[in-house]
């Protein structure tokens, strides 16, 4: 085993000071599975559809109110609230992609396409790459979401790219770029059926999702002509970018920004269980219910087939098995402003990992952010 050295100082959240998260856990994934009550695995399509109806009705009501009153004070309230609702329906489409929405692949695909296409996400393209992320979570070379840059890739980036990649707010707007071109060091597009992201048997689905994306984008252009570009920007465009910010913020902090740095793996040291245990639960206060408990992320990563409305209970049941390998999230105020400090700290410190070693930690480029 080749391993970066990191000081062992886990005192927060009930961890002993000498707890080493890189030590293989003394339990197997089957033991975690057995601890979760049977009913947590049951998918109720009517309950899932009820969440869809709830979110769609809220979105429609917000649009109607914003257009009816049409004053700048209300627009300033509308944009963050509607952007958060766009993020909420992304999470429901995310459940469709995992098959946790229902046991019907047809229903999952139909609802997933409607929800994700409406916010300019290519459903099957995203679904397949997200599946790759879950299957390889915590693996330096094979993971797909917010993968660490190796030192060689990092040093080959120009300064402007490095600065933008690790300076808030720029990373919070990268998701559309990622859909078209992925991350540094990786090639492919979520819209191209022949991208190396996808196996041949997924090409038809990718093409259908790309077509749905084009139809939605064309509809927005058409609406801008028959109404006005400014109205489409106010009703849809700005909330879309708020949604993108939520998506990048939440997904980044699920795998980064813990007060004590967590390991990344490669080679024989990686396993599905060890990789999944590097994910981080987050508390989002009032937003927990709005975005369907996506912050309850460790159990979701290990068992993505569990419906979102059972994740909290499943996590409570699994803690007895996970022990110190589970990190309790910091409690949030109604609005999760407390998470901003973890994002900023991670962006200042987590820049690249070593090109070698099977267990590695993020390292810092001292020249990137000079005061």
């Amino acid at each position: 085993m080749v391993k970066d050295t990191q000081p062992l100082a886990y005192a927060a959240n009930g961890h002993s000071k000498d707890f080493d998260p890189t030590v293989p856990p003394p339990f197997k994934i089957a033991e975690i599975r057995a601890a979760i009550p049977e009913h947590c695995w049951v998918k109720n399509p009517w309950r899932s559809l009820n969440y869809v109806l709830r979110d769609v009705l809220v979105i429609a009501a917000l649009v109607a109110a914003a257009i009816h009153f049409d004053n700048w004070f209300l627009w300033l309230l509308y944009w963050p609230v509607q952007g958060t609702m766009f993020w909420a329906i992304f999470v429901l489409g995310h459940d469709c992609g995992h098959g946790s929405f229902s046991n019907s692949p047809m229903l999952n695909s139909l609802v997933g396409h409607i929800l994700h296409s409406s916010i300019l996400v290519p459903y099957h393209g995203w679904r397949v790459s997200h599946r790759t992320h879950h299957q390889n979570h915590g693996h330096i070379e094979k993971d797909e979401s917010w993968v660490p840059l190796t030192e060689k890739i990092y040093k080959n980036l120009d300064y402007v790219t490095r600065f933008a990649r690790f300076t808030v707010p720029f990373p919070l707007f990268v998701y559309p770029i990622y859909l078209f071109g992925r991350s540094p060091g990786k090639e492919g597009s979520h819209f191209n059926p022949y991208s190396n992201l996808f196996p041949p048997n997924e090409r038809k689905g990718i093409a259908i999702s790309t077509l749905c994306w084009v139809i939605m984008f064309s509809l927005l252009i058409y609406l801008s002509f028959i109404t006005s570009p400014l109205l489409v920007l106010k009703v849809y465009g700005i909330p879309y970018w708020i949604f993108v910010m939520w998506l990048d913020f939440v997904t980044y902090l699920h795998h980064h920004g813990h007060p004590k740095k967590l390991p990344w793996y490669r080679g024989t040291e990686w396993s599905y269980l060890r990789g999944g245990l590097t994910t981080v639960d987050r508390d989002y206060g009032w937003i927990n219910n709005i975005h369907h408990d996506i912050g309850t992320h460790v159990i979701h990563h290990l068992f993505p087939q569990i419906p979102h409305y059972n994740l909290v209970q499943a996590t409570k049941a699994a803690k007895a098995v996970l022990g110190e390998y589970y990190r309790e999230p910091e409690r949030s105020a109604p609005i999760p402003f407390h998470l901003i400090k973890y994002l900023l700290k991670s962006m200042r410190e987590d820049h690249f990992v070593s090109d070698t070693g099977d267990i590695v930690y993020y390292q810092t480029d001292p020249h990137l952010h000079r005061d």
Side-chain angles (χ1 to χ4, degrees):
M1 176 181 72
V2 182
K3 172 179 169 182
D4 278 359
T5 57
Q6 286 287 326
L8 302 178
Y10 276 68
N13 297 327
H15 291 87
S16 59
K17 291 185 178 181
D18 59 351
F19 173 69
D20 183 354
T22 67
V23 174
F27 49 82
K28 298 186 181 299
I29 196 167
E31 296 173 62
I32 309 173
R33 181 188 295 271
I36 298 173
E38 284 297 319
H39 70 268
C40 289
W41 304 88
V42 177
K43 307 165 191 176
N44 184 335
W46 295 110
R47 187 172 182 181
S48 297
L49 287 168
N50 183 63
Y51 283 108
V52 172
L53 179 63
R54 182 195 77 172
D55 289 357
V56 170
L57 288 177
V58 171
I59 289 170
L62 288 170
V63 170
I67 293 175
H68 176 75
F69 293 104
D70 194 18
N71 70 71
W72 281 104
F73 175 75
L74 286 179
W75 283 116
L76 290 174
L77 293 177
Y78 168 84
W79 291 329
V81 174
Q82 189 70 298
T84 302
M85 293 309 302
F86 282 15
W87 164 235
I89 64 171
F90 172 87
V91 176
L92 292 177
H94 158 274
D95 286 2
C96 294
H98 281 301
S100 61
F101 189 87
S102 77
N103 285 320
S104 169
M106 182 177 295
L107 179 62
N108 293 337
S109 182
L110 175 63
V111 175
H113 270 99
I114 292 171
L115 295 179
H116 275 194
S117 299
S118 71
I119 49 174
L120 295 177
V121 174
Y123 172 70
H124 278 310
W126 164 85
R127 177 185 60 80
V128 176
S129 74
H130 190 67
R131 180 180 66 197
T132 300
H133 165 52
H134 269 259
Q135 291 173 341
N136 299 279
H137 44 211
H139 194 294
I140 297 164
E141 280 90 19
K142 297 179 181 180
D143 200 346
E144 181 61 30
S145 178
W146 291 109
V147 185
L149 303 178
T150 61
E151 186 172 8
K152 179 179 180 181
I153 292 174
Y154 178 83
K155 290 185 174 180
N156 283 333
L157 299 176
D158 60 81
Y159 178 78
V160 172
T161 302
R162 290 187 209 172
F163 185 83
R165 171 65 177 77
F166 296 102
T167 304
V168 176
F170 303 114
L172 299 180
F173 297 98
V174 300
Y175 187 65
I177 299 172
Y178 163 74
L179 288 177
F180 281 95
R182 298 177 76 191
S183 305
K186 295 179 180 287
E187 298 179 349
S189 166
H190 287 75
F191 299 92
N192 180 2
Y194 293 91
S195 168
N196 57 15
L197 264 169
F198 313 121
N201 65 309
E202 296 282 6
R203 287 173 182 165
K204 181 179 178 181
I206 306 303
I208 292 171
S209 296
T210 298
L211 176 62
C212 291
W213 188 96
V214 170
I215 291 171
M216 181 61 194
F217 188 75
S218 301
L219 177 62
L220 291 171
I221 294 174
Y222 173 72
L223 290 174
S224 71
F225 278 109
I226 65 172
T227 58
S228 76
L230 180 60
L231 181 61
V232 173
L233 176 67
K234 291 193 295 184
V235 171
Y236 185 92
I238 296 176
Y240 168 79
W241 285 107
I242 299 293
F243 146 65
V244 168
M245 292 177 70
W246 266 118
L247 189 152
D248 284 325
F249 180 74
V250 171
T251 55
Y252 183 85
L253 287 177
H254 282 159
H255 303 279
H256 297 77
H258 191 264
K260 301 298 179 181
K261 290 189 177 183
L262 297 174
W264 288 80
Y265 300 99
R266 58 163 66 94
T268 57
E269 289 296 333
W270 180 87
S271 71
Y272 182 83
L273 177 57
R274 294 177 81 183
L277 292 175
T278 66
T279 58
V280 181
D281 276 12
R282 300 290 187 182
D283 183 15
Y284 293 91
W286 285 347
I287 311 298
N288 285 332
N289 180 263
I290 295 172
H291 72 181
H292 308 292
D293 289 315
I294 193 63
T296 311
H297 210 64
V298 176
I299 290 301
H300 165 67
H301 247 270
L302 292 173
F303 307 109
Q305 62 271 41
I306 295 178
H308 75 264
Y309 42 82
N310 290 332
L311 283 173
V312 171
Q313 186 174 0
T315 298
K316 288 179 180 177
K319 286 181 186 179
V321 178
L322 295 174
E324 291 188 300
Y325 288 86
Y326 179 77
R327 291 162 284 275
E328 288 284 350
E330 180 182 341
R331 293 298 100 187
S332 176
I335 306 299
F337 292 120
H338 73 290
L339 293 176
I340 296 174
K341 66 178 180 285
Y342 297 117
L343 175 69
L344 295 174
K345 183 175 185 292
S346 180
M347 288 291 171
R348 288 194 304 267
E349 298 178 356
D350 300 338
H351 298 152
F352 60 86
V353 296
S354 173
D355 294 317
T356 60
D358 291 345
I359 303 177
V360 297
Y361 290 85
Y362 267 111
Q363 299 178 41
T364 302
D365 178 357
H367 305 292
L368 181 62
H369 293 125
R370 293 177 176 175
D371 295 331

